[in-house]
């Protein structure tokens, strides 16, 4: 029997006897505590997968999720034959490139040649003369799959810049970058064939089938109405589409619609931010009419707002968009947008209301107060209930001191910094020309490049712009 003495002020020490079993129990508790501490450290390290020596490195730069899905498909296929390290491009470090015998880079382009948010740090360190200047990659063999949209001037601009940067470091390409326009099946198959020719894949292995969009779903037009009658801008239409039971999506996800088109090319696809949640009973969209110089309408907007009859049917896909999924409910959320960008922001507000998150601030820009108060009743109700703590609306055609949403945000810098200090996330949805770059420049001025980069890496700066 062991004992210890308990010291109490002003009292005689009293012997306290502790049995061997109690000592063993105490030791077990101490050991468990140490193991738990070690586990916590391991969990922190596990947030960034360790790169195995000699593994095939698959790195992706993804804004909307397509590049990430393709990268996962590549990793699943190649892991059947050997070690594979799958990382977002921001997670890639010099040791990963040095340890890999082969690297496959699957890179989307954001806007006009910009890196996606999960590639900003890599671009700064490796492609713009940053902290990795001395690193050489002469032992690395690699290939680049560049995803993009040919409607932009800098088609696949970031993927091509990535290839140039790797070449400048001495890395050895297996073949020229494979560019892909809007996940074109033929280009993806060509990439797969090149991997087969270079023995990256073996006969019968595939890495592209089903890696892009989800399954096509039948949809029916339940309702369609114009939200901005009399506006100096083009018409904005709110569509409610019925889907088969059980279709699921999250705030931030994308609807990809098949639009019929005359001629041998067949249908084209158009993407729209989903403005509703599954619990709303319909998939809702906002479509702005595109009016051409000759008076005709755009292929997609014209068909959806004028030609497709009520009760008419169409096919669509729901695309997962993890780069714009909701933050945790406890995190404050600043939503910034203009025009039909209110669609994606509305879905986020609905999701926040569902989980009881009240720390929400919406800054939204449109043309006129008289005609362009999109979803005015809903926003007023959320403001009254406290689910929307702040609402700043700006109308560019009205004679007001603030003309654009970025001006409203600039005027609220002190409030913005206070929200960011509380851990707020900033979600931007709307125009790629004008609004989104201006908001980005403002955040750069306030936070600096490193600060904005850190905000992105923490998942607190998300963009869905078009």
């Amino acid at each position: 029997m062991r004992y210890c003495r308990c010291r109490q002020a002003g009292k005689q020490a009293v012997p306290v006897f502790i049995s061997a079993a109690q000592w063993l129990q105490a030791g077990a508790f101490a050991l468990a505590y140490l193991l738990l501490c070690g586990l916590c450290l391991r969990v922190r390290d596990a947030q960034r997968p360790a790169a195995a020596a000699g593994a095939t490195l698959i790195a992706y730069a993804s804004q909307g999720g397509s590049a990430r899905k393709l990268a996962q498909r590549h990793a699943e296929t190649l892991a059947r034959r050997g070690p594979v390290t799958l990382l977002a491009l921001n997670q890639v470090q010099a040791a990963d490139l040095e340890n890999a015998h082969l690297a496959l880079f699957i890179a989307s382009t954001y806007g006009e040649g910009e890196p996606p948010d999960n590639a900003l740090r890599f671009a700064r360190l490796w492609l713009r003369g940053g902290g990795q200047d001395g690193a050489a990659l002469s032992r690395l063999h690699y290939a680049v799959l560049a995803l993009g949209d040919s409607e932009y001037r800098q088609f696949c601009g970031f993927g091509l810049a990535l290839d140039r940067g790797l070449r400048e470091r001495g890395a050895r390409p297996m073949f020229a970058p494979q560019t892909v326009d809007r996940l074109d099946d033929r280009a993806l198959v060509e990439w797969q064939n090149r991997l087969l020719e270079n023995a990256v894949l073996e006969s019968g292995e595939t890495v592209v089938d089903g890696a892009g969009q989800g399954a096509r779903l039948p949809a029916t037009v339940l309702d369609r109405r114009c939200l901005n009658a009399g506006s100096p801008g083009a018409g904005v239409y709110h569509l409610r589409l019925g889907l088969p039971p059980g279709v699921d999506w999250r705030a931030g996800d994308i609807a990809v619609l098949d639009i019929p088109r005359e001629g041998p090319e067949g249908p084209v696809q158009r993407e729209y931010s989903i403005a509703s949640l599954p619990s709303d009973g319909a998939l809702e969209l906002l479509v702005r009419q595109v009016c051409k110089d000759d008076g005709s309408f755009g292929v997609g907007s014209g068909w959806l707002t004028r030609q497709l009859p009520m009760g008419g049917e169409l096919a669509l896909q729901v695309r997962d968009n993890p780069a714009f999924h909701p933050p945790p409910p406890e995190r404050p959320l600043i939503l910034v947008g203009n025009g039909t960008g209110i669609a994606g922001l509305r879905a986020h507000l609905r999701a926040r209301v569902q989980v009881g998150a009240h720390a929400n601030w919406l800054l939204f820009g449109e043309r006129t107060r008289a005609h362009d108060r999109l979803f005015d009743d809903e926003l007023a109700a959320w403001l009254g209930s406290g689910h929307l703590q702040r609402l700043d609306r700006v109308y560019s055609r009205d004679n007001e001191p603030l003309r654009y949403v970025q001006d409203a945000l600039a005027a609220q810098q002190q409030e913005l910094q206070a929200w960011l200090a509380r851990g707020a996330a900033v979600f931007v949805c709307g125009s790629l020309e004008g609004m989104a770059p201006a908001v980005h420049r403002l955040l750069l001025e306030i936070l600096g490049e490193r600060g904005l980069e850190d905000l992105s890496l923490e998942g607190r700066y998300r963009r869905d712009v078009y």
Side-chain angles (χ1 to χ4, degrees), residues 303-322:
W303 186 70
L304 289 169
T305 64
R306 294 172 59 86
Q307 299 171 23
L308 181 62
M310 293 297 299
E313 296 184 352
L314 67 158
L316 63 81
Q317 302 157 330
V318 173
R319 179 163 67 78
D320 183 43
N321 187 16

Side-chain angles (χ1 to χ4, degrees), residues 351-371:
R352 300 281 284 184
V353 170
Q354 278 193 354
V355 297
H358 289 76
N360 304 306
W361 176 10
L362 173 64
L363 300 102
F364 177 68
E366 249 294 349
R367 287 173 171 79
T368 65
R369 185 184 303 274
H371 304 290

Side-chain angles (χ1 to χ4, degrees), residues 379-452:
L379 297 180
W382 290 329
L383 196 61
S385 67
H387 287 98
L388 193 54
Q389 288 187 357
R390 287 186 60 98
L391 174 60
D392 291 275
R393 289 199 270 200
V394 184
Y395 299 98
S396 60
R397 303 296 177 87
D398 291 347
N399 294 322
E400 298 179 347
L402 299 176
R403 294 195 61 205
Y404 300 106
V405 68
Q406 58 266 28
D407 299 318
L409 190 61
Q412 299 288 343
Q413 285 194 39
Q414 187 173 354
E415 185 72 8
L416 171 63
Q417 290 177 320
W419 278 63
L420 292 176
R422 291 164 48 201
V426 180
F427 277 41
V428 181
C429 190
S431 174
L432 179 61
E433 295 184 3
M435 184 275 297
V439 170
H440 189 80
R441 288 193 297 271
L442 175 64
L443 293 174
L444 274 175
E445 291 173 8
I446 296 172
L447 303 175
E449 185 175 14
R450 295 291 182 91
L452 185 55

Side-chain angles (χ1 to χ4, degrees), residues 268-346:
V268 296
Q269 292 187 333
R270 294 291 184 266
E271 296 190 348
Y272 298 92
S273 298
I274 301 176
S276 61
L277 301 177
S279 57
D280 295 319
L283 188 148
E284 302 181 31
L285 308 173
L286 280 190
V287 179
R288 187 185 295 277
Q289 289 179 331
V290 175
C291 303
K292 301 180 181 179
D293 294 338
D294 61 3
S296 64
F297 291 92
V299 173
S301 67
W303 186 70
L304 289 169
T305 64
R306 294 172 59 86
Q307 299 171 23
L308 181 62
M310 293 297 299
E313 296 184 352
L314 67 158
L316 63 81
Q317 302 157 330
V318 173
R319 179 163 67 78
D320 183 43
N321 187 16
F324 207 63
H325 279 168
E330 63 274 11
R331 186 177 297 284
L333 180 59
I334 303 170
L335 299 163
V336 184
N338 69 337
T340 55
I342 192 65
L345 303 183
R346 178 188 188 237

Side-chain angles (χ1 to χ4, degrees), residues 94-113:
D96 301 317
L97 298 173
E98 293 167 0
N99 289 337
H101 76 282
L102 169 68
L104 302 180
F105 296 91
I106 302 175
S108 294
T109 292
Y110 176 76
E112 289 294 353

